[in-house]
Each structure stands twice: as C-alpha cells, then as structure tokens.
C-alpha cells in the first residue's frame, strides 16, 4: 500500500502522478473464507477492517453486488452526530463520533471530518422545553450539547429566516459542537484500502443470490461468481436486509423506503454549520465544493426503486425556502435517492439473525453514515467472538420480543 | 405525482393515500396465552418484499381502507379492490 503524505503528494506532483498505484486489489473469490461479509458499504467495509485489525481475522471476503460504496454510503448527506436521547444510543453513536475523530489518521486517508457543529432549531416555548430536556439528556450521557437562544442561533446561522412572517418562528435550539460532516466516499474508500492492505478480499460485481445452509447452519453464500463457503456470514446490506433475511426464510422488523437528497450549484460559503429545522422536515449543510447538501424525511411509500418522488421533494424544498428564503432562487444540480432500512424504533439491529452462522448489521435507516465506524467495530466484535459487545447488546433483534425498544424516532426530530 | 386508484373514488393523487400495512397479518388469538415471539411477529415482522406486493392502504379523503397491488421496484400499480374482495 502506498502511504499517503504531503511528501508523497509533492513527489507525485513532480513526476506527473504516475506512481500512485491502485488503492485496493480486485481479487477473484477463493472457495472459502473464515468470514464473508455481504455488502461493501461503509458498514461492511469497516467490519472487515476491524475484523483484521482488532481481531486478527484476515481471511475475510466482502462481496458486493455493485461497486463498493455505491449504496447508501455514497448517497447520504454526510451528517455525523451523536445527539440522541437514550443512553444506549448515546453510547453507540458517540463511540462512532470518537472513532471518526481519529479516522483520517488511523486509515491514512483524509475522510474530511469537519466538526462544524449541528443546530436543531426549536420553534415554540414548548419546543424550547423539549430542547432543554434534550440538552440535559445528552449531557447526562456524556455527549457535548449546548442550549441556544434565538440570538445565538442567528449568530451561527444568519441565513435562517428570522423575519416577522416566518411560519414557525425560531426561538432557539440545540447545538452539538462536535457534530459535522465527513466525505462519504472517502469513508468507504479509506476503509476499503486499509482492509485490503490487511489481506481482506473485496469482491465487487458479486451478488449474493442465496445462502448455503447445512444442518441448520449458514455455511456460505451462492453468488453470481460461484459458491463461497464461510466460517461465519455477516450481512450489512441496508435496504436489502429483508431480501437476505428472506433467503434464510426470516422476516425482519424492517420496511424499506426511498430517502432523497439534493445538492445545489456551488455557491460561495454561506453556511458553516449543519442546520435542521424539524417543523419543515428539512436540513442543510454546505459542502467543501460549495454545493448546498439538502435532505428531509422519508418517502411515504415502501420502495426498492432507488429514485426520488415528487411529494417529498416538494415538502423538503418548500421547507427550505421557508427556512432560508435567500436560497429560493438557487439552482439544484442533482437529486437522488437511496433505499433505507427502517425499523419500528428507528434504532439499528446488530447481532444474530436467528439462523445459526448468519449475523445482521442493519436497520440504520436514515442515519447510519454517522455510525459506520461503530457499526463496523461492534459487528467485527460480534463476528469474531460470537458474543455481543456491551454497547451492541441492547440492539439485538431480541428487543422486539422483550419489548425493550430504543425509540429514537421521536427523540431526534428527524431520523438522520 | 403518481396516481393511485381508490376502489371507491377512482384515480386520485398519491398524496391522498396512507400506507397502512402489509396484507394478511392476523392478530394472535388472545383468548389463549400468546407467546412473546408471536406478538413480535404480529407487531413488527414485515415481509418487505422486493417486487410484487399486496398492501392495505387508506384513502384519507374517504377514510376507506382497501387492498392495493403494486410493484415495489417499478412502483407500478397493478390494481386495487375492497378489503373484502381483495385486489383485482
Ligand atoms: C439520501 C440519504 C441521506 C442520508 N443522510 C444521512 C446522514 O446525513 N447521516 C447519516 O448518518 N446517515 C444518513 N443516511 C443513511 C446512511 O447513508 C446509511 O444508513 C448508511 O450508509 C448505511 O451503510 P451500509 O454500509 O449499511 O449500507 P450501504 O452503503 O447501502 O451498503 C450496502 C451494500 O450492500 C450491497 N448489497 C445489497 N444486496 C446485496 C446482495 N444480495 N449481494 C451483495 N451485495 C449486496 C449494496 O449494493 C450496497 O453497496 C442517508 C441515507 C440516504 C439514502
Ligand atoms: Zn376513496
């Protein structure tokens, strides 16, 4: 693996960038591995990396039906935060933020994590009380949080609508200073490159078509590139989790929906933080290229069609115009959707699938980009040891039988 | 906008409709003891099929529940019918 550094950049600059070499191999699948991970999104790739790095399990394949990072990992609005309500969620998502804080150095790959802060606005006196409750809950969980009044919000995001006819006037908000944005592709590429360097085979254009089940145990996968046997199989396929579970004749507590996002033409810097206005269901940040990255709520219709849909587009953009009227005439550049895996409590599922030998990392829904380092870290622990990590245990599928749901849907306003 | 067919009102804008759930869920028989896994299946498990689906929808305008058959990939609607008759 070529190490990336300022010196290397200078040297390559001087010789016409001819010596970089490929970032990862494109190997043929071997007949068998100790572990096979289905899905080369951020979660699958991070899992493979931590299996090799933390647990010494390097005979690992990640099989991907398309290209790596082409699923939701390459389609999200890149918001990273841990402003959750319940202790279980705070432990999970803050582990992720802490891993993100060190990730560029650890992977020797600039993932451009910019801790520009995130504001969730409050629009009435009762919402201010809920905001104070949120701040207190976050602090009790050891997560940074600040309660902002109207002037403090205005100072940080003057682009917001403070005019007299704002439909839902801004009273204040909750700030998480350590939240921010990261470069989504770089997270996938950085983990892929680092996992590959540790010996992991990343096999693209290799779709899992079925599971090899012997004596009630999953011992491998049938793929479009032939059968691959595995000591253990982990699925990290986001919106397609029910399809893989279906191969094990199991139904998951998951519904797949399209989630849309938008990016505008590049503008000069106008916004240096992330802002979410819950009543409009719209959130926004500005990328390093200057594009405004805009997101909103889920589509209304369960879907595997990876494309947008007009009603939600209207809601999100109408919300944006009310939120930041100065942006009304900005042109959109692109608009797309990803298929997300939504659980009843808006919390992920980590752990055994119910079929021996098959484990699940899914249910991240609209908000699993921020969780990639923690999801990979914990899933690797589960696959290597066969046991839950104390942080992953509450997210076991068993919670739907015991009733211990971790209902973050309402707690975080919009589920990203 | 997509047009959905209400079996009672005819073709209407998709925003008038609300997804209620998958067709064919049966509430456990509560005259007997119901095991936790059976409650979990009833309350939470979804087939979440990729391709042809049969679902219960509500037309919010007339408040009627009905069955809609559609494709969850192409999003094409195949038909709709009353809950009693099922989709055509
Ligand atoms: C528009 C949008 C905005 C979002 N915004 C945010 C945000 O701001 N912050 C945040 O934290 N999260 C956000 N999310 C959610 C986040 O993107 C996802 O939760 C996260 O990327 C999931 O990562 P993953 O690795 O599990 O899934 P993916 O990246 O989707 O990877 C799964 C992979 O599995 C592959 N696969 C599926 N089936 C098979 C098969 N049978 N065989 C082989 N491979 C298969 C797919 O091709 C895919 O590459 C957003 C999502 C969307 C769509
Ligand atoms: Zn009707």
């Amino acid at each position: 693996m070529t190490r990336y550094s300022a010196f290397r950049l200078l040297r390559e600059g001087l010789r016409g960038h001819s010596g970089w070499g490929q970032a990862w191999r494109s190997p043929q699948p071997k007949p068998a591995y100790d572990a096979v991970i289905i899905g080369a999104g951020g979660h699958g790739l991070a899992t493979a990396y931590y299996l090799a790095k933390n647990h010494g399990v390097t005979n690992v394949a990640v099989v991907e039906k398309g290209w790596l990072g082409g699923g939701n990992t390459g389609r999200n609005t890149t918001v990273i935060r841990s402003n959750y309500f319940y202790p279980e969620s705070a432990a999970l998502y803050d582990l992720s933020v802490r891993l993100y804080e060190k990730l560029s150095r650890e992977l020797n790959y600039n993932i451009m994590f910019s801790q520009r802060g995130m504001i969730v606005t409050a629009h009435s006196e009762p919402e201010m009380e809920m905001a104070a409750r949120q701040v207190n809950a976050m602090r009790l969980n050891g997560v940074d949080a600040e309660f902002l009044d109207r002037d403090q919000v205005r100072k940080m995001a003057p682009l917001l609508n403070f005019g007299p006819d704002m439909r839902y006037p801004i009273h204040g908000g909750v700030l998480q200073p350590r939240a921010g944005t990261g470069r989504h592709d770089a997270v996938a590429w950085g983990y892929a490159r680092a996992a590959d360097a540790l010996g992991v085979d990343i096999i693209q254009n290799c779709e899992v078509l079925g599971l090899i089940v012997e004596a009630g145990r999953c011992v491998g996968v049938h793929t479009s590139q032939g059968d691959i046997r595995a000591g253990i199989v982990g699925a990290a396929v986001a919106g397609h989790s029910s399809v893989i579970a279906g191969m094990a004749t199991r139904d998951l507590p998951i519904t797949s929906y399209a989630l849309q996002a938008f990016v505008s033409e590049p503008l000069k810097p106008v916004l240096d933080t992330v802002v979410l206005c819950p009543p409009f269901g719209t959130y926004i940040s500005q990328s390093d290229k200057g594009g405004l990255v805009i997101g909103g709520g889920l589509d209304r219709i369960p879907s595997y069609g990876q494309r947008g849909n007009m009603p939600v587009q209207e809601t999100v953009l109408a919300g944006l115009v009310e939120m930041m009227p100065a942006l009304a005439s900005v042109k959109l550049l692109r608009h797309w959707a990803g298929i997300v895996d939504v659980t009843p409590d808006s919390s992920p599922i980590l752990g055994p699938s119910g079929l021996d030998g098959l484990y699940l990392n899914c249910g991240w829904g609209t908000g699993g980009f921020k969780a990639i380092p923690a999801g990979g870290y914990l899933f690797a622990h589960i696959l290597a040891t066969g046991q839950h990590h104390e942080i992953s245990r509450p997210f076991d599928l068993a919670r739907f039988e015991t009733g211990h749901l971790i209902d973050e849907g309402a707690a975080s306003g919009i589920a990203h | 906008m997509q047009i959905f067919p209400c079996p009672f009102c005819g073709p209407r804008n998709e925003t008038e409709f609300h997804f209620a759930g998958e067709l064919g869920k049966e509430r456990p028989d509560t005259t007997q003891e119901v095991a936790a896994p059976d409650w979990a299946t009833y309350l939470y498990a979804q087939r979440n099929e990729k391709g042809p689906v049969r679902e219960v929808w509500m037309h919010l305008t007339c408040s009627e529940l009905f069955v809609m058959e559609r494709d969850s990939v192409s999003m094409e609607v195949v038909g709709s019918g009353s809950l009693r008759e099922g989709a055509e």
Side-chain angles (χ1 to χ4, degrees), chain A residues 140-181:
Chain A
L140 282 173
N141 290 329
V143 177
D144 59 317
E146 283 170 33
F147 187 55
L148 304 183
D149 64 22
R150 182 180 161 94
D151 287 341
Q152 288 168 308
V153 174
R154 178 181 238 162
K155 202 160 170 218
M156 283 194 69
L159 205 56
L160 278 167
N161 188 354
F162 292 92
D165 13 298
M166 168 72 146
R167 175 73 181 82
Y168 303 108
I170 294 171
H171 286 232
V174 178
L175 168 71
Q176 183 181 18
R178 281 162 66 243
T181 56

mmCIF file of all heavy atoms in Angstrom, chain A residues 140-181:
data_model
loop_
_atom_site.group_PDB
_atom_site.id
_atom_site.type_symbol
_atom_site.label_atom_id
_atom_site.label_comp_id
_atom_site.label_asym_id
_atom_site.label_seq_id
_atom_site.Cartn_x
_atom_site.Cartn_y
_atom_site.Cartn_z
ATOM 1 N N LEU A 140 -26.064 14.293 30.340
ATOM 2 C CA LEU A 140 -26.040 13.176 31.294
ATOM 3 C C LEU A 140 -25.389 11.955 30.670
ATOM 4 O O LEU A 140 -24.763 11.147 31.348
ATOM 5 C CB LEU A 140 -27.463 12.822 31.735
ATOM 6 C CG LEU A 140 -28.085 13.746 32.784
ATOM 7 C CD1 LEU A 140 -29.545 13.375 32.984
ATOM 8 C CD2 LEU A 140 -27.325 13.651 34.108
ATOM 9 N N ASN A 141 -25.553 11.817 29.350
ATOM 10 C CA ASN A 141 -24.941 10.681 28.652
ATOM 11 C C ASN A 141 -23.492 10.958 28.277
ATOM 12 O O ASN A 141 -22.880 10.175 27.543
ATOM 13 C CB ASN A 141 -25.741 10.356 27.385
ATOM 14 C CG ASN A 141 -27.105 9.761 27.709
ATOM 15 O OD1 ASN A 141 -27.250 9.091 28.725
ATOM 16 N ND2 ASN A 141 -28.079 10.001 26.859
ATOM 17 N N GLY A 142 -22.961 12.103 28.685
ATOM 18 C CA GLY A 142 -21.562 12.402 28.408
ATOM 19 C C GLY A 142 -21.305 12.917 27.001
ATOM 20 O O GLY A 142 -20.183 12.872 26.510
ATOM 21 N N VAL A 143 -22.356 13.409 26.357
ATOM 22 C CA VAL A 143 -22.207 13.937 24.989
ATOM 23 C C VAL A 143 -22.297 15.462 25.055
ATOM 24 O O VAL A 143 -23.101 16.008 25.813
ATOM 25 C CB VAL A 143 -23.317 13.370 24.073
ATOM 26 C CG1 VAL A 143 -23.225 13.959 22.683
ATOM 27 C CG2 VAL A 143 -23.226 11.847 24.021
ATOM 28 N N ASP A 144 -21.481 16.152 24.255
ATOM 29 C CA ASP A 144 -21.488 17.612 24.276
ATOM 30 C C ASP A 144 -22.797 18.167 23.717
ATOM 31 O O ASP A 144 -23.292 17.701 22.696
ATOM 32 C CB ASP A 144 -20.301 18.156 23.471
ATOM 33 C CG ASP A 144 -20.327 17.697 22.019
ATOM 34 O OD1 ASP A 144 -20.609 16.495 21.779
ATOM 35 O OD2 ASP A 144 -20.104 18.528 21.129
ATOM 36 N N ALA A 145 -23.345 19.167 24.388
ATOM 37 C CA ALA A 145 -24.588 19.778 23.932
ATOM 38 C C ALA A 145 -24.707 21.166 24.515
ATOM 39 O O ALA A 145 -24.313 21.398 25.658
ATOM 40 C CB ALA A 145 -25.786 18.939 24.372
ATOM 41 N N GLU A 146 -25.226 22.102 23.712
ATOM 42 C CA GLU A 146 -25.447 23.455 24.214
ATOM 43 C C GLU A 146 -26.841 23.921 23.835
ATOM 44 O O GLU A 146 -27.335 23.623 22.754
ATOM 45 C CB GLU A 146 -24.398 24.414 23.640
ATOM 46 C CG GLU A 146 -23.057 24.267 24.333
ATOM 47 C CD GLU A 146 -21.947 25.039 23.627
ATOM 48 O OE1 GLU A 146 -22.231 26.109 23.043
ATOM 49 O OE2 GLU A 146 -20.807 24.550 23.666
ATOM 50 N N PHE A 147 -27.428 24.644 24.776
ATOM 51 C CA PHE A 147 -28.773 25.171 24.589
ATOM 52 C C PHE A 147 -28.632 26.594 24.047
ATOM 53 O O PHE A 147 -27.968 27.424 24.664
ATOM 54 C CB PHE A 147 -29.459 25.164 25.965
ATOM 55 C CG PHE A 147 -30.900 25.517 25.934
ATOM 56 C CD1 PHE A 147 -31.788 24.827 25.123
ATOM 57 C CD2 PHE A 147 -31.385 26.534 26.735
ATOM 58 C CE1 PHE A 147 -33.137 25.151 25.114
ATOM 59 C CE2 PHE A 147 -32.738 26.859 26.734
ATOM 60 C CZ PHE A 147 -33.613 26.166 25.916
ATOM 61 N N LEU A 148 -29.205 26.860 22.890
ATOM 62 C CA LEU A 148 -29.037 28.174 22.264
ATOM 63 C C LEU A 148 -30.334 28.976 22.325
ATOM 64 O O LEU A 148 -31.416 28.431 22.136
ATOM 65 C CB LEU A 148 -28.653 28.020 20.788
ATOM 66 C CG LEU A 148 -27.419 27.190 20.434
ATOM 67 C CD1 LEU A 148 -27.190 27.241 18.927
ATOM 68 C CD2 LEU A 148 -26.184 27.687 21.174
ATOM 69 N N ASP A 149 -30.194 30.284 22.559
ATOM 70 C CA ASP A 149 -31.367 31.144 22.412
ATOM 71 C C ASP A 149 -31.404 31.663 20.971
ATOM 72 O O ASP A 149 -30.523 31.369 20.168
ATOM 73 C CB ASP A 149 -31.378 32.271 23.459
ATOM 74 C CG ASP A 149 -30.205 33.230 23.304
ATOM 75 O OD1 ASP A 149 -29.623 33.292 22.182
ATOM 76 O OD2 ASP A 149 -29.859 33.914 24.284
ATOM 77 N N ARG A 150 -32.426 32.450 20.691
ATOM 78 C CA ARG A 150 -32.641 32.924 19.326
ATOM 79 C C ARG A 150 -31.420 33.670 18.769
ATOM 80 O O ARG A 150 -30.998 33.443 17.631
ATOM 81 C CB ARG A 150 -33.887 33.820 19.348
ATOM 82 C CG ARG A 150 -34.303 34.363 18.012
ATOM 83 C CD ARG A 150 -35.558 35.219 18.212
ATOM 84 N NE ARG A 150 -35.771 36.126 17.105
ATOM 85 C CZ ARG A 150 -36.562 35.841 16.067
ATOM 86 N NH1 ARG A 150 -37.189 34.705 15.998
ATOM 87 N NH2 ARG A 150 -36.697 36.716 15.095
ATOM 88 N N ASP A 151 -30.830 34.545 19.580
ATOM 89 C CA ASP A 151 -29.703 35.337 19.088
ATOM 90 C C ASP A 151 -28.479 34.473 18.811
ATOM 91 O O ASP A 151 -27.723 34.733 17.872
ATOM 92 C CB ASP A 151 -29.340 36.428 20.107
ATOM 93 C CG ASP A 151 -30.389 37.529 20.114
ATOM 94 O OD1 ASP A 151 -31.151 37.616 19.120
ATOM 95 O OD2 ASP A 151 -30.470 38.262 21.118
ATOM 96 N N GLN A 152 -28.319 33.452 19.664
ATOM 97 C CA GLN A 152 -27.159 32.571 19.431
ATOM 98 C C GLN A 152 -27.330 31.766 18.145
ATOM 99 O O GLN A 152 -26.371 31.535 17.419
ATOM 100 C CB GLN A 152 -26.979 31.635 20.638
ATOM 101 C CG GLN A 152 -26.456 32.374 21.862
ATOM 102 C CD GLN A 152 -26.553 31.514 23.117
ATOM 103 O OE1 GLN A 152 -27.621 30.959 23.441
ATOM 104 N NE2 GLN A 152 -25.442 31.379 23.821
ATOM 105 N N VAL A 153 -28.568 31.340 17.867
ATOM 106 C CA VAL A 153 -28.816 30.630 16.606
ATOM 107 C C VAL A 153 -28.547 31.571 15.438
ATOM 108 O O VAL A 153 -27.879 31.227 14.457
ATOM 109 C CB VAL A 153 -30.274 30.099 16.535
ATOM 110 C CG1 VAL A 153 -30.560 29.505 15.163
ATOM 111 C CG2 VAL A 153 -30.524 29.057 17.620
ATOM 112 N N ARG A 154 -29.034 32.803 15.576
ATOM 113 C CA ARG A 154 -28.879 33.780 14.492
ATOM 114 C C ARG A 154 -27.412 34.069 14.211
ATOM 115 O O ARG A 154 -27.000 34.199 13.058
ATOM 116 C CB ARG A 154 -29.600 35.072 14.898
ATOM 117 C CG ARG A 154 -29.448 36.157 13.871
ATOM 118 C CD ARG A 154 -30.162 37.405 14.343
ATOM 119 N NE ARG A 154 -31.152 37.782 13.360
ATOM 120 C CZ ARG A 154 -32.157 38.593 13.588
ATOM 121 N NH1 ARG A 154 -32.340 39.117 14.760
ATOM 122 N NH2 ARG A 154 -32.997 38.896 12.632
ATOM 123 N N LYS A 155 -26.635 34.100 15.265
ATOM 124 C CA LYS A 155 -25.211 34.378 15.097
ATOM 125 C C LYS A 155 -24.524 33.248 14.318
ATOM 126 O O LYS A 155 -23.674 33.493 13.468
ATOM 127 C CB LYS A 155 -24.574 34.531 16.481
ATOM 128 C CG LYS A 155 -23.314 35.313 16.452
ATOM 129 C CD LYS A 155 -22.944 35.878 17.807
ATOM 130 C CE LYS A 155 -21.537 36.437 17.682
ATOM 131 N NZ LYS A 155 -20.714 36.227 18.836
ATOM 132 N N MET A 156 -24.916 32.025 14.630
ATOM 133 C CA MET A 156 -24.270 30.886 13.968
ATOM 134 C C MET A 156 -24.798 30.634 12.561
ATOM 135 O O MET A 156 -24.076 30.133 11.711
ATOM 136 C CB MET A 156 -24.492 29.609 14.797
ATOM 137 C CG MET A 156 -23.608 29.522 16.019
ATOM 138 S SD MET A 156 -23.663 27.846 16.672
ATOM 139 C CE MET A 156 -22.795 26.931 15.389
ATOM 140 N N ALA A 157 -26.065 30.960 12.335
ATOM 141 C CA ALA A 157 -26.666 30.667 11.023
ATOM 142 C C ALA A 157 -27.550 31.836 10.583
ATOM 143 O O ALA A 157 -28.775 31.736 10.550
ATOM 144 C CB ALA A 157 -27.469 29.375 11.092
ATOM 145 N N PRO A 158 -26.912 32.948 10.214
ATOM 146 C CA PRO A 158 -27.686 34.150 9.865
ATOM 147 C C PRO A 158 -28.569 33.965 8.630
ATOM 148 O O PRO A 158 -29.472 34.757 8.397
ATOM 149 C CB PRO A 158 -26.601 35.211 9.607
ATOM 150 C CG PRO A 158 -25.324 34.469 9.444
ATOM 151 C CD PRO A 158 -25.465 33.165 10.160
ATOM 152 N N LEU A 159 -28.307 32.915 7.881
ATOM 153 C CA LEU A 159 -29.098 32.653 6.683
ATOM 154 C C LEU A 159 -30.529 32.216 7.028
ATOM 155 O O LEU A 159 -31.437 32.316 6.204
ATOM 156 C CB LEU A 159 -28.398 31.534 5.907
ATOM 157 C CG LEU A 159 -28.612 31.402 4.416
ATOM 158 C CD1 LEU A 159 -28.250 32.677 3.693
ATOM 159 C CD2 LEU A 159 -27.779 30.235 3.887
ATOM 160 N N LEU A 160 -30.725 31.759 8.258
ATOM 161 C CA LEU A 160 -32.064 31.302 8.657
ATOM 162 C C LEU A 160 -33.054 32.472 8.656
ATOM 163 O O LEU A 160 -32.674 33.632 8.776
ATOM 164 C CB LEU A 160 -32.013 30.679 10.053
ATOM 165 C CG LEU A 160 -31.548 29.222 10.126
ATOM 166 C CD1 LEU A 160 -31.245 28.839 11.565
ATOM 167 C CD2 LEU A 160 -32.592 28.273 9.538
ATOM 168 N N ASN A 161 -34.314 32.120 8.551
ATOM 169 C CA ASN A 161 -35.380 33.114 8.468
ATOM 170 C C ASN A 161 -35.738 33.626 9.875
ATOM 171 O O ASN A 161 -36.313 32.893 10.673
ATOM 172 C CB ASN A 161 -36.598 32.439 7.815
ATOM 173 C CG ASN A 161 -37.692 33.416 7.500
ATOM 174 O OD1 ASN A 161 -37.604 34.593 7.852
ATOM 175 N ND2 ASN A 161 -38.716 32.930 6.825
ATOM 176 N N PHE A 162 -35.380 34.877 10.138
ATOM 177 C CA PHE A 162 -35.771 35.489 11.417
ATOM 178 C C PHE A 162 -36.807 36.589 11.182
ATOM 179 O O PHE A 162 -37.048 37.432 12.032
ATOM 180 C CB PHE A 162 -34.534 36.037 12.145
ATOM 181 C CG PHE A 162 -33.619 34.942 12.614
ATOM 182 C CD1 PHE A 162 -32.565 34.508 11.808
ATOM 183 C CD2 PHE A 162 -33.823 34.309 13.833
ATOM 184 C CE1 PHE A 162 -31.739 33.474 12.224
ATOM 185 C CE2 PHE A 162 -32.999 33.276 14.254
ATOM 186 C CZ PHE A 162 -31.952 32.856 13.439
ATOM 187 N N GLY A 163 -37.372 36.584 9.985
ATOM 188 C CA GLY A 163 -38.338 37.618 9.603
ATOM 189 C C GLY A 163 -39.636 37.488 10.376
ATOM 190 O O GLY A 163 -39.906 36.471 11.012
ATOM 191 N N PRO A 164 -40.473 38.547 10.300
ATOM 192 C CA PRO A 164 -41.711 38.586 11.082
ATOM 193 C C PRO A 164 -42.765 37.600 10.591
ATOM 194 O O PRO A 164 -43.622 37.186 11.356
ATOM 195 C CB PRO A 164 -42.199 40.034 10.906
ATOM 196 C CG PRO A 164 -41.534 40.519 9.658
ATOM 197 C CD PRO A 164 -40.260 39.766 9.508
ATOM 198 N N ASP A 165 -42.706 37.188 9.315
ATOM 199 C CA ASP A 165 -43.775 36.284 8.857
ATOM 200 C C ASP A 165 -43.309 34.847 8.726
ATOM 201 O O ASP A 165 -43.909 34.074 8.008
ATOM 202 C CB ASP A 165 -44.415 36.737 7.531
ATOM 203 C CG ASP A 165 -43.622 37.795 6.847
ATOM 204 O OD1 ASP A 165 -43.492 38.843 7.472
ATOM 205 O OD2 ASP A 165 -43.131 37.590 5.724
ATOM 206 N N MET A 166 -42.234 34.502 9.411
ATOM 207 C CA MET A 166 -41.807 33.102 9.432
ATOM 208 C C MET A 166 -42.955 32.249 9.983
ATOM 209 O O MET A 166 -43.523 32.574 11.028
ATOM 210 C CB MET A 166 -40.571 32.994 10.332
ATOM 211 C CG MET A 166 -40.137 31.607 10.715
ATOM 212 S SD MET A 166 -39.405 30.667 9.385
ATOM 213 C CE MET A 166 -38.180 29.696 10.251
ATOM 214 N N ARG A 167 -43.280 31.183 9.260
ATOM 215 C CA ARG A 167 -44.425 30.343 9.638
ATOM 216 C C ARG A 167 -44.270 29.774 11.053
ATOM 217 O O ARG A 167 -45.201 29.765 11.841
ATOM 218 C CB ARG A 167 -44.563 29.217 8.606
ATOM 219 C CG ARG A 167 -45.615 28.189 8.918
ATOM 220 C CD ARG A 167 -47.018 28.751 8.699
ATOM 221 N NE ARG A 167 -48.020 27.758 9.019
ATOM 222 C CZ ARG A 167 -48.447 27.501 10.254
ATOM 223 N NH1 ARG A 167 -47.926 28.164 11.273
ATOM 224 N NH2 ARG A 167 -49.363 26.587 10.472
ATOM 225 N N TYR A 168 -43.066 29.280 11.364
ATOM 226 C CA TYR A 168 -42.771 28.785 12.708
ATOM 227 C C TYR A 168 -41.530 29.532 13.203
ATOM 228 O O TYR A 168 -40.406 29.110 12.926
ATOM 229 C CB TYR A 168 -42.483 27.275 12.690
ATOM 230 C CG TYR A 168 -43.602 26.450 12.113
ATOM 231 C CD1 TYR A 168 -43.471 25.858 10.862
ATOM 232 C CD2 TYR A 168 -44.789 26.253 12.815
ATOM 233 C CE1 TYR A 168 -44.499 25.095 10.320
ATOM 234 C CE2 TYR A 168 -45.822 25.497 12.276
ATOM 235 C CZ TYR A 168 -45.669 24.920 11.021
ATOM 236 O OH TYR A 168 -46.680 24.167 10.484
ATOM 237 N N PRO A 169 -41.711 30.644 13.918
ATOM 238 C CA PRO A 169 -40.560 31.470 14.296
ATOM 239 C C PRO A 169 -39.548 30.703 15.152
ATOM 240 O O PRO A 169 -39.922 29.871 15.983
ATOM 241 C CB PRO A 169 -41.189 32.629 15.084
ATOM 242 C CG PRO A 169 -42.581 32.223 15.389
ATOM 243 C CD PRO A 169 -42.985 31.167 14.416
ATOM 244 N N ILE A 170 -38.278 31.013 14.944
ATOM 245 C CA ILE A 170 -37.218 30.317 15.676
ATOM 246 C C ILE A 170 -37.073 30.921 17.076
ATOM 247 O O ILE A 170 -36.908 32.121 17.223
ATOM 248 C CB ILE A 170 -35.891 30.419 14.900
ATOM 249 C CG1 ILE A 170 -36.007 29.654 13.586
ATOM 250 C CG2 ILE A 170 -34.726 29.885 15.742
ATOM 251 C CD1 ILE A 170 -34.851 29.868 12.635
ATOM 252 N N HIS A 171 -37.151 30.068 18.079
ATOM 253 C CA HIS A 171 -36.976 30.513 19.470
ATOM 254 C C HIS A 171 -35.574 30.215 19.983
ATOM 255 O O HIS A 171 -35.101 30.861 20.900
ATOM 256 C CB HIS A 171 -37.991 29.815 20.384
ATOM 257 C CG HIS A 171 -39.392 30.344 20.234
ATOM 258 N ND1 HIS A 171 -40.149 30.762 21.290
ATOM 259 C CD2 HIS A 171 -40.151 30.522 19.122
ATOM 260 C CE1 HIS A 171 -41.328 31.180 20.852
ATOM 261 N NE2 HIS A 171 -41.359 31.032 19.551
ATOM 262 N N GLY A 172 -34.935 29.200 19.435
ATOM 263 C CA GLY A 172 -33.609 28.804 19.905
ATOM 264 C C GLY A 172 -33.276 27.446 19.316
ATOM 265 O O GLY A 172 -33.777 27.103 18.243
ATOM 266 N N GLY A 173 -32.477 26.689 20.046
ATOM 267 C CA GLY A 173 -32.164 25.369 19.504
ATOM 268 C C GLY A 173 -31.145 24.620 20.333
ATOM 269 O O GLY A 173 -30.704 25.086 21.390
ATOM 270 N N VAL A 174 -30.810 23.419 19.853
ATOM 271 C CA VAL A 174 -29.802 22.576 20.484
ATOM 272 C C VAL A 174 -28.601 22.505 19.552
ATOM 273 O O VAL A 174 -28.759 22.228 18.364
ATOM 274 C CB VAL A 174 -30.335 21.143 20.720
ATOM 275 C CG1 VAL A 174 -29.252 20.270 21.345
ATOM 276 C CG2 VAL A 174 -31.581 21.168 21.594
ATOM 277 N N LEU A 175 -27.433 22.761 20.114
ATOM 278 C CA LEU A 175 -26.202 22.665 19.328
ATOM 279 C C LEU A 175 -25.367 21.498 19.819
ATOM 280 O O LEU A 175 -25.147 21.354 21.023
ATOM 281 C CB LEU A 175 -25.389 23.961 19.471
ATOM 282 C CG LEU A 175 -23.952 23.926 18.942
ATOM 283 C CD1 LEU A 175 -23.942 23.875 17.411
ATOM 284 C CD2 LEU A 175 -23.162 25.136 19.419
ATOM 285 N N GLN A 176 -24.926 20.643 18.899
ATOM 286 C CA GLN A 176 -23.854 19.702 19.254
ATOM 287 C C GLN A 176 -22.585 20.179 18.560
ATOM 288 O O GLN A 176 -22.436 20.000 17.336
ATOM 289 C CB GLN A 176 -24.164 18.256 18.856
ATOM 290 C CG GLN A 176 -23.011 17.360 19.342
ATOM 291 C CD GLN A 176 -23.127 15.891 19.021
ATOM 292 O OE1 GLN A 176 -23.877 15.490 18.152
ATOM 293 N NE2 GLN A 176 -22.338 15.083 19.721
ATOM 294 N N PRO A 177 -21.655 20.758 19.306
ATOM 295 C CA PRO A 177 -20.451 21.316 18.671
ATOM 296 C C PRO A 177 -19.593 20.282 17.953
ATOM 297 O O PRO A 177 -18.986 20.585 16.928
ATOM 298 C CB PRO A 177 -19.680 21.941 19.847
ATOM 299 C CG PRO A 177 -20.710 22.187 20.903
ATOM 300 C CD PRO A 177 -21.712 21.083 20.750
ATOM 301 N N ARG A 178 -19.538 19.040 18.469
ATOM 302 C CA ARG A 178 -18.664 18.039 17.844
ATOM 303 C C ARG A 178 -19.286 17.387 16.620
ATOM 304 O O ARG A 178 -18.643 16.587 15.944
ATOM 305 C CB ARG A 178 -18.311 16.940 18.853
ATOM 306 C CG ARG A 178 -17.217 17.344 19.838
ATOM 307 C CD ARG A 178 -17.223 16.430 21.059
ATOM 308 N NE ARG A 178 -16.869 15.059 20.771
ATOM 309 C CZ ARG A 178 -17.698 14.008 20.946
ATOM 310 N NH1 ARG A 178 -18.916 14.175 21.399
ATOM 311 N NH2 ARG A 178 -17.285 12.793 20.680
ATOM 312 N N ALA A 179 -20.550 17.678 16.325
ATOM 313 C CA ALA A 179 -21.166 17.117 15.128
ATOM 314 C C ALA A 179 -20.582 17.810 13.885
ATOM 315 O O ALA A 179 -19.866 18.799 14.007
ATOM 316 C CB ALA A 179 -22.675 17.310 15.178
ATOM 317 N N GLY A 180 -20.910 17.266 12.717
ATOM 318 C CA GLY A 180 -20.401 17.896 11.499
ATOM 319 C C GLY A 180 -20.677 17.047 10.284
ATOM 320 O O GLY A 180 -21.659 16.306 10.245
ATOM 321 N N THR A 181 -19.787 17.170 9.307
ATOM 322 C CA THR A 181 -19.946 16.390 8.083
ATOM 323 C C THR A 181 -18.622 15.709 7.748
ATOM 324 O O THR A 181 -17.565 16.152 8.183
ATOM 325 C CB THR A 181 -20.337 17.292 6.892
ATOM 326 O OG1 THR A 181 -19.350 18.316 6.756
ATOM 327 C CG2 THR A 181 -21.705 17.922 7.097
#
